[in-house]
Amino acid sequence: MTYTPPKKWTWDAESGGKFASINRPIAGPTHDKELSVGKHPLQLYSLATPNGVKVTVMLEELLAAGHTGAEYDAWLINIQEGDQFSSGFVDVNPNSKIPALLDTTTGTRVFESGAILLYLAEKFGAFLPTDPAGRTEALNWLFWLQGSAPYLGGGFGHFYAYAPEKFEYPINRFAMEAKRHLDVLERNLSERRYLAGDDYTIADIATVPWYGALVKGLVYDAAEFLDVARYENVNRWTDDVMARPAYKRGKIVNRAWGEPQEQLHERHDSSDFETKTQDKIAQDS
């Protein structure tokens, strides 16, 4: 059936498929609720989507590198239940998207995952080269990811995995773009260990939760469809990054689905990885 757009679009709350309950065409809070604030300098409000994982991996990498000021409380924001539309969350992120960060040492709010990574890299002087050429190359790839990921998630992922009906045109359109992105990464990584060169940077931290997860079949169940095995260097780089202890810790923070041992709903202390994952909580109850 051919769709003819009306002269003026109106919102149909039932037309959004899987995410109809959390999508709306206006901003602002839907209810009053203050955000919780813990004991650490950094307060993170998030969920373990690829954008959320970027930030928890970054924080765990900073702590592993000895930056004790990067201690953080990670509070679960359940987007399926509309937590992102609370008045407290909207105060930190007027766009009502996770993740959002509050630096209690300065009173600074930071929203947009790429901005959070850049803020933390500059605050602690880590995972971002200081020479102009190296810094610029890392930022090239960070902003490449920020611009490309919506085509993967909101484009390919939505129409291939989540849309209420399958349509050939959008799936083909965004599959082509996803494979082009993988080829961009493949060509770059054929000459480098990491995206910006020899050093692991915020560009890698930002990109692996999206394109690394894609080639490992962790998102959208599309590994065979996109023939991801052919991207050998992307797979090599993904294995390298995902093997890092900080990545393994960061990927489970604010995760509320999957295997119980891979779920740490909230993180308030480094010991929580040993005592507060859902499998440990179930054993104690």
Side-chain angles (χ1 to χ4, degrees):
M1 179 184 296
T2 300
Y3 170 68
T4 301
K7 291 185 178 296
K8 182 184 292 186
W9 181 84
T10 56
W11 179 38
D12 178 1
E14 302 301 320
S15 67
K18 181 176 180 180
F19 301 105
S21 64
I22 62 171
N23 290 330
R24 58 197 185 114
I26 57 174
T30 60
H31 60 283
D32 289 328
K33 183 179 180 181
E34 293 185 3
L35 290 176
S36 299
V37 177
K39 63 183 179 180
H40 294 306
L42 299 172
Q43 300 295 303
L44 178 67
Y45 306 96
S46 192
L47 183 70
T49 66
N51 285 332
V53 169
K54 293 178 195 176
V55 178
T56 48
V57 168
M58 177 64 170
L59 289 165
E60 291 298 326
E61 290 283 9
L62 288 168
L63 291 171
H67 298 281
T68 56
E71 271 293 353
Y72 69 104
D73 291 278
W75 303 92
L76 180 66
I77 299 296
N78 191 326
I79 62 174
Q80 295 288 1
E81 296 182 2
D83 292 350
Q84 71 276 29
F85 298 119
S86 72
S87 57
F89 189 86
V90 172
D91 284 344
V92 182
N93 185 356
N95 194 39
S96 291
K97 300 290 184 181
I98 62 92
L101 181 75
L102 180 63
D103 185 343
T104 62
T105 63
T106 62
T108 303
R109 73 175 187 182
V110 197
F111 59 91
E112 290 297 318
S113 58
I116 296 173
L117 294 187
L118 183 55
Y119 177 82
L120 293 171
E122 292 182 333
K123 180 180 178 71
F124 294 102
F127 303 110
L128 182 63
T130 56
D131 66 288
R135 173 186 169 86
T136 299
E137 184 67 358
L139 293 180
N140 284 341
W141 287 103
L142 174 64
F143 289 113
W144 174 87
L145 181 279
Q146 294 299 116
S148 297
Y151 288 93
L152 176 57
F156 175 75
H158 177 77
F159 286 105
Y160 182 80
Y162 302 132
E165 297 180 68
K166 306 295 186 189
F167 292 103
E168 182 178 6
Y169 175 79
I171 290 175
N172 284 344
R173 168 68 178 85
F174 290 112
M176 178 184 68
E177 190 68 359
K179 287 184 70 67
R180 189 184 69 81
H181 293 171
L182 288 169
D183 195 48
V184 169
L185 293 171
E186 179 71 12
R187 290 168 185 264
N188 183 52
L189 290 165
S190 70
E191 301 175 349
R192 297 172 168 180
R193 181 179 181 186
Y194 296 113
L195 289 181
D198 294 331
D199 296 327
Y200 177 65
T201 71
I202 55 175
D204 304 288
I205 292 170
T207 307
V208 164
W210 278 104
Y211 290 91
L214 180 67
V215 298
K216 294 304 172 185
L218 302 176
V219 292
Y220 313 135
D221 193 24
E224 182 178 4
F225 180 74
L226 295 175
D227 190 20
V228 298
R230 67 178 296 180
Y231 304 104
E232 296 179 2
N233 290 295
V234 178
N235 278 277
R236 181 266 308 161
W237 162 77
T238 298
D239 290 339
D240 189 355
V241 174
M242 286 188 173
R244 296 174 69 93
Y247 192 95
K248 293 179 179 180
R249 291 192 298 274
K251 74 176 183 177
I252 74 170
V253 177
N254 296 144
R255 186 176 175 89
W257 61 89
E259 296 298 323
Q261 67 270 21
E262 292 283 301
Q263 296 183 44
L264 181 60
H265 289 186
E266 293 187 354
R267 186 269 192 209
H268 303 291
D269 189 88
S270 59
S271 65
D272 290 349
F273 292 100
E274 304 301 324
T275 62
K276 299 292 180 63
T277 53
Q278 288 303 107
D279 60 322
K280 301 293 182 15
I281 292 174
Q283 290 174 6
D284 294 339
S285 62

